[in-house]
Amino acid sequence: MTTLTPSPSSVSEEQHHAHADHRLFGLATFLVADGMTFAGFFAAYLTFRAVNPLPTGSTYELELLLPTINTLLLLVSSFTFHRAGSALKRDNSPLARRWLLVTAALGFAFLAGQMKEYFALPFGLTDNLFASTFYAITGFHGLHVTLGGLMILIVWWQCRSGGRVSSQNLFPLEAAELYWHFVDGIWVVLYGILYLL
């Protein structure tokens, strides 16, 4: 009596499918570490502000209108990104691509608003500790928005017909969306600390 033994290739395929997908968990772990970097910036800013007050007459009143508009842009972009994911799960790639383009446009509009604010600020990067910390925090966040916008455009391209991202392969979109929500959440905290306190 002969027994059939599975071929090595079929065993490896079964083992491959048996493993859980931990890629989003890995990304979330990275984002927690990245969040600690922002927490360090926030702590430094609040400490400098508390123990190193600016000289009399050099207190800066930051404009609220533009940062508030920027906040709304990012909050709306989180909603549009969610809509893109929902459309892709329903196998509607054309609609998902439209929502992704809207999301990227909102992100780049945020960056344009931030550059406009930089040119209107009454202080420069090296004027004092407050100014340096302000530019470091907002610039570091702007870098994250830039990378997020580029990721969205990459996912947008990969969502085209015959592309890599589809309802059967949602990971690239889910990873970019998780990153984007993280960036938006950081901005809400940053907005409260820099502009409202």
Side-chain angles (χ1 to χ4, degrees), residues 79-100 159 166-167 170 173 177:
F79 171 75
T80 59
F81 210 144
H82 177 72
R83 294 297 297 267
S86 298
L88 193 61
K89 286 173 186 172
R90 296 191 308 268
D91 278 325
N92 193 341
S93 292
L95 182 59
R97 296 185 84 220
R98 283 196 290 273
W99 281 119
L100 286 169
C159 277
S166 66
S167 59
L170 289 169
L173 184 137
E177 184 177 3

Side-chain angles (χ1 to χ4, degrees), residues 85-185:
S86 298
L88 193 61
K89 286 173 186 172
R90 296 191 308 268
D91 278 325
N92 193 341
S93 292
L95 182 59
R97 296 185 84 220
R98 283 196 290 273
W99 281 119
L100 286 169
L101 274 184
V102 170
T103 305
L106 289 168
F108 291 123
F110 170 90
L111 291 172
Q114 191 170 41
M115 291 306 298
K116 181 175 169 59
E117 181 190 22
Y118 281 172
F119 287 114
L121 288 173
F123 53 84
L125 174 63
T126 58
D127 281 6
N128 50 52
L129 202 50
F130 167 84
S132 298
T133 309
F134 176 88
Y135 278 104
I137 294 173
T138 57
F140 190 55
H141 178 265
L143 174 63
H144 281 70
V145 174
T146 303
L147 293 175
L150 293 175
M151 279 193 278
I152 291 168
L153 291 178
I154 290 169
V155 172
W156 168 81
W157 175 251
Q158 292 180 338
C159 277
R160 72 195 187 281
S161 178
R164 180 170 173 253
V165 179
S166 66
S167 59
Q168 286 74 45
N169 182 26
L170 289 169
F171 172 74
L173 184 137
E174 290 174 339
E177 184 177 3
L178 179 61
Y179 177 85
W180 193 254
H181 291 324
F182 166 79
V183 169
D184 290 358

Side-chain angles (χ1 to χ4, degrees), residues 62-78 105-117 141 180 184 187-188 191 195-196:
L62 295 173
E63 177 63 41
L64 268 180
L65 179 61
L66 193 53
T68 301
I69 292 171
N70 271 350
T71 302
L72 291 174
L73 289 174
L74 283 187
L75 291 176
V76 171
S77 75
S78 274
L106 289 168
F108 291 123
F110 170 90
L111 291 172
Q114 191 170 41
M115 291 306 298
K116 181 175 169 59
E117 181 190 22
H141 178 265
W180 193 254
D184 290 358
W187 175 258
V188 171
Y191 174 76
Y195 298 97
L196 300 181

